[in-house]
Amino acid sequence: MVTCIPSGSGKLHFGVTDCKGRSCIRTACVFDVPIKRNTHKYLSWSQGVSKMLQIHRCKASVSPVCKNQKLFKVISSYKKEGSTKYFDFAVIGSGIAGLRYALEVAKYGSVAVITKAESHECNTNYAQGGVSAVLSPSDSVESHMKDTIVAGAYLCDEETVRVVCTEGPDRVRELISIGASFDHGEDGNLHLAREGGHSHRRIVHAADMTGKEIERALLKSVVNNPNIFVFEHHFAIDLLTCQEGSDITCVGVDTLNTETLEVVRFLSKVTLLASGGAGHIYPKTTNPLVATGDGIAMAHRAQAVISNMEFVQFHPTALADEGLPIKPSKPRENAFLISEAVRGDGGILYNLGMERFMSLYDEREELAPRDVVARSIDDQLKKRSEKYVLLDISHKPKAEILSHFPNIASMCLQHGLDITRHPIPVVPAAHYICGGVRAGLEGETNVKGLYVAGEVACTGLHGANRLASNSLLEALVFARRAVQPSIDLMKSSSPDMTASNFWPHPVVPFSLGSDVIGKIRSVTRELRKELQCIMWNYVGIVRSTMRLETAERKIGKLEAKWEEYLFQHGWKPTMVVPETCEMRNLFCCAKLVVSSALSRHESRGLHYTVDFPHLEESKRLPTIISPSSHVNNTWSSMQLHKQPMYQ
């Protein structure tokens, strides 16, 4: 048995500093291991990255995570000691990636599924369009690959693209065998839709509620599995790591039960991070409230390698409440998505002068990839000083519209809009992070024992822009690919059962009193809105170096203001409440996006800057944020038990 010693020398930062003092680099290698280049014009990096991630470990430390605990079902096959629980596998996140992985590894050991809110509250549940896969005889893996790489502005990893497009059909068939029910055509075969950027019909869907159907089927299977335990309302605070020589190993996660305010520690042989994205760094997002970048921030603090964070996808068509006949009674927590499939089914975009405009920007018109459509809408809004554009599907047969888009039709009708007769007011909203924790072909990271899948991961599939309906596909493929190495690691691991005391426990600040905690929560909420506004105004669809540098300064000042307020009111570095845990993660992710965007001196895919408006072949490289010896002395960037500046 090897006794793990928590690593104490690692500090969090934004990687290697460039000539302007920024903590982000653009390079084709990580830890001096070159990323293999293809002889084609595609970027090929997965093979080199996969091998590198298995061999080269960064010297780092990992901290506790925040998640809310409510035992979903009580079964006695895992070990429990006070507020510490022991599992073979810990899964952080209850979306498609986490649940699919859990169902497989549960055949070999006990599994904790740790989820921030209710188990169904995740990005998967809000996915409307579907899962892209080659299931038609007229389609091909090569065609799906080409569409993915073109949409990704040739920054995709070709090997990853091939793996996902090749294995995708089998992953969809597995979903069906689990119990997911998808739409079928009159011929009895799966009905395949088409979306922007796709050259063929290849989108498997359940009307316009595909994610909800997938989540339903997976959760039903999870509930019936005796080896899986779901802990709802457990907010992940920080990962737990230990160091042996130069290797850093993840051995679990600290969580906060947001219903009981109890800190619960999970120790595991293997951890899968499947916690979703970071849409709420922006004020307008299609993501649910839980999407605050917790996984990316935790992994960064644990010194996992982060990649391509500048590529934030803004969905072109979120419902614009300003244009509805009956306005919502209160602002939405997240924007309502109008599926890509509406344009794929023939929806037409007009400005408020009822002028069709997409032909001015791209010959593919409404079927252009999302980055093109979002920029086109943004340009129309700015030129015409308007708040939204119109998406019209009313020229299609009424029965067809209601059959394909019942959820969208119902939502609009609640606000006085009949989409079978009138156009839908739409506006872009933050939707998906194409970057994240850098992963190899089996979901492995540079932190041993830590695997990633889903939106939290950067696998190389999406490149500079995600192709519609490739996200659920990627989650399925990488969740499945992470299974065998996870099982192998679990079987070879002999954890120290006394390890729970190696790390200081996070503390709920009851000692400060309800008045002080109330003030801290109130200030945190207000500063959160300020951060979101900075990101929307300065780090949006169209960027410039000056605006990005302004954002960098403003975010730095805002973070310093927040931390000063906290610690002036008696806050200690290891204290946790949900609002402050989310805020530190939002700050961390916002800085990662800005730092990455400043380092890319070209316009590619989702990153468009007026100062470098063209593609540059020499810059067709991933952005890497890697561990460094430099200390970034902010609370959001450091683990809770590594806070020397306040102690």
Side-chain angles (χ1 to χ4, degrees):
M1 180 185 300
V2 175
T3 300
C4 288
I5 305 299
S7 51
S9 60
K11 303 299 180 185
L12 274 292
H13 58 89
F14 283 125
V16 180
T17 306
D18 67 15
C19 59
K20 294 185 178 180
R22 294 194 188 95
S23 47
C24 181
I25 61 168
R26 293 275 314 294
T27 180
C29 64
V30 183
F31 306 137
D32 299 323
V33 178
I35 295 166
K36 298 181 69 173
R37 296 293 298 274
N38 195 337
T39 55
H40 298 77
K41 61 179 179 178
Y42 311 140
L43 178 68
S44 180
W45 57 314
S46 62
Q47 184 176 0
V49 171
S50 183
K51 291 179 179 178
M52 173 275 293
L53 291 176
Q54 293 173 17
I55 298 169
H56 294 260
R57 309 292 180 190
C58 57
K59 296 182 179 180
S61 58
V62 183
S63 318
V65 189
C66 249
K67 287 246 179 205
N68 331 348
Q69 174 201 350
K70 170 184 174 184
L71 191 57
F72 192 74
K73 56 184 177 180
V74 181
I75 302 177
S76 59
S77 62
Y78 70 90
K79 294 184 175 63
K80 177 179 178 182
E81 181 181 303
S83 61
T84 300
K85 304 180 189 302
Y86 301 83
F87 286 87
D88 293 314
F89 305 93
V91 178
I92 303 171
S94 60
I96 185 173
L99 297 183
R100 188 67 192 91
Y101 172 90
L103 287 169
E104 291 299 319
V105 296
K107 300 171 185 176
Y108 300 89
S110 60
V111 184
V113 174
I114 302 161
T115 186
K116 187 175 179 179
E118 289 77 20
S119 51
H120 66 268
E121 187 65 5
C122 56
N123 280 355
T124 298
N125 202 49
Y126 290 80
Q128 294 181 0
V131 186
S132 61
V134 177
L135 294 165
S136 167
S138 63
D139 198 1
S140 67
V141 168
E142 288 70 24
S143 178
H144 192 182
M145 287 183 61
K146 180 180 178 182
D147 292 345
T148 298
I149 291 168
V150 169
Y154 298 94
L155 196 64
C156 306
D157 165 21
E158 187 181 3
E159 186 176 5
T160 298
V161 174
R162 182 175 297 281
V163 162
V164 172
C165 294
T166 301
E167 297 180 6
D170 284 343
R171 302 292 84 82
V172 171
R173 294 184 188 103
E174 288 173 355
L175 268 186
I176 295 172
S177 69
I178 288 171
S181 178
F182 299 117
D183 290 358
H184 288 70
E186 294 179 357
D187 60 1
N189 294 319
L190 286 169
H191 181 270
L192 303 176
R194 185 182 177 190
E195 296 181 349
H198 288 273
S199 58
H200 291 74
R201 287 185 168 271
R202 63 168 69 101
I203 313 303
V204 180
H205 63 99
D208 59 349
M209 295 174 282
T210 308
K212 185 172 292 185
E213 170 57 18
I214 292 172
E215 188 74 8
R216 179 204 64 78
L218 290 174
L219 277 175
K220 182 179 179 180
S221 294
V222 163
V223 168
N224 292 326
N225 192 304
N227 276 352
I228 302 176
F229 308 81
V230 179
F231 296 85
E232 293 186 322
H233 302 285
H234 281 62
F235 185 104
I237 305 163
D238 268 314
L239 298 170
L240 296 169
T241 55
C242 61
Q243 182 171 350
E244 182 185 358
S246 60
D247 283 357
I248 299 298
T249 303
C250 179
V251 295
V253 60
D254 272 338
T255 71
L256 175 66
N257 182 331
T258 55
E259 291 193 329
T260 67
L261 295 182
E262 177 191 11
V263 172
V264 182
R265 175 162 288 173
F266 290 85
L267 295 182
S268 58
K269 298 175 182 177
V270 182
T271 301
L272 176 78
L273 193 56
S275 53
H280 281 275
I281 59 175
Y282 292 95
K284 299 176 184 178
T285 177
T286 61
N287 292 183
L289 279 176
V290 294
T292 52
D294 307 326
I296 295 172
M298 287 190 299
H300 177 61
R301 290 193 292 266
Q303 300 213 25
V305 176
I306 309 295
S307 187
N308 288 355
M309 287 294 288
E310 68 269 38
F311 299 119
V312 180
Q313 186 173 80
F314 291 81
H315 199 287
T317 55
L319 185 62
D321 291 338
E322 299 94 329
L324 292 170
I326 302 174
K327 308 293 189 294
S329 57
K330 60 180 181 179
R332 298 180 194 271
E333 292 177 343
N334 52 289
F336 182 79
L337 178 66
I338 304 299
S339 172
E340 186 96 9
V342 175
R343 286 186 286 116
D345 251 18
I348 298 172
L349 286 165
Y350 298 96
N351 58 35
L352 296 189
M354 291 309 294
E355 299 167 332
R356 188 175 181 179
F357 58 84
M358 276 307 303
S359 60
L360 302 174
Y361 300 95
D362 195 285
E363 61 183 11
R364 293 165 290 185
E365 299 181 321
E366 281 79 8
L367 290 178
R370 289 178 179 176
D371 59 327
V372 175
V373 180
R375 278 197 300 276
S376 303
I377 293 174
D378 182 72
D379 187 57
Q380 284 286 305
L381 297 181
K382 289 173 178 175
K383 284 181 176 177
R384 297 174 59 86
S385 299
E386 294 171 349
K387 293 185 177 181
Y388 55 89
V389 297
L390 300 171
L391 177 60
D392 190 18
I393 193 69
S394 65
H395 54 278
K396 304 287 285 188
K398 180 176 181 178
E400 184 178 319
I401 295 171
L402 296 179
S403 172
H404 289 181
F405 309 112
N407 189 40
I408 294 172
S410 174
M411 173 60 71
C412 290
L413 201 57
Q414 290 177 33
H415 296 283
L417 181 68
D418 182 354
I419 69 170
T420 68
R421 299 175 58 198
H422 302 288
I424 308 167
V426 294
V427 68
H431 183 59
Y432 190 89
I433 297 282
C434 288
V437 184
R438 194 170 174 90
L441 282 173
E442 294 181 324
E444 72 276 21
T445 71
N446 62 295
V447 177
K448 185 178 180 181
L450 179 65
Y451 294 82
V452 290
E455 189 174 351
V456 72
C458 183
T459 66
L461 174 68
H462 305 310
N465 176 48
R466 176 173 70 82
L467 180 65
S469 289
N470 265 3
S471 55
L472 295 179
L473 177 70
E474 178 197 39
L476 285 171
V477 170
F478 275 88
R480 192 67 181 81
R481 284 187 141 254
V483 168
Q484 191 56 53
S486 297
I487 294 168
D488 293 342
L489 179 61
M490 183 275 293
K491 289 181 176 179
S492 65
S493 297
S494 299
D496 186 344
M497 299 302 287
T498 66
S500 180
N501 296 322
F502 287 169
W503 304 267
H505 282 260
V507 178
V508 178
F510 296 116
S511 61
L512 297 183
S514 58
D515 288 346
V516 171
I517 294 175
K519 290 178 182 178
I520 287 174
R521 283 175 163 156
S522 178
V523 168
T524 299
R525 283 192 292 269
E526 290 305 310
L527 295 186
R528 172 171 169 155
K529 292 177 183 177
E530 285 190 43
L531 173 65
Q532 292 170 327
C533 287
I534 292 169
M535 292 298 291
W536 188 263
N537 292 332
Y538 297 96
V539 199
I541 296 172
V542 177
R543 302 164 176 174
S544 72
T545 301
M546 182 181 72
R547 298 182 74 77
L548 290 171
E549 289 175 342
T550 299
E552 189 174 52
R553 289 194 302 271
K554 285 179 174 291
I555 291 170
K557 290 180 180 179
L558 191 68
E559 185 180 25
K561 176 182 177 181
W562 179 59
E563 292 188 2
E564 182 179 9
Y565 183 88
L566 288 180
F567 290 97
Q568 283 181 347
H569 285 77
W571 194 264
K572 302 298 181 184
T574 55
M575 288 181 172
V576 291
V577 294
E579 291 86 350
T580 58
C581 287
E582 283 193 335
M583 190 66 185
R584 67 198 290 258
N585 293 336
L586 289 168
F587 269 125
C588 186
C589 288
K591 292 187 296 184
L592 290 171
V593 171
V594 174
S595 185
S596 298
L598 278 167
S599 75
R600 184 167 290 279
H601 296 167
E602 64 163 352
S603 289
R604 184 180 296 274
L606 297 164
H607 174 71
Y608 182 84
T609 171
V610 297
D611 296 305
F612 306 97
H614 304 295
L615 282 172
E616 297 287 346
E617 176 61 21
S618 64
K619 301 184 184 300
R620 188 168 60 88
L621 303 167
T623 305
I624 304 298
I625 300 172
S626 58
S628 157
S629 59
H630 299 290
V631 177
N632 186 346
N633 287 331
T634 66
W635 192 46
S636 72
S637 299
M638 299 179 67
Q639 297 169 311
L640 292 186
H641 60 281
K642 305 295 177 187
Q643 303 286 338
M645 62 281 196
Y646 295 124
Q647 293 176 338

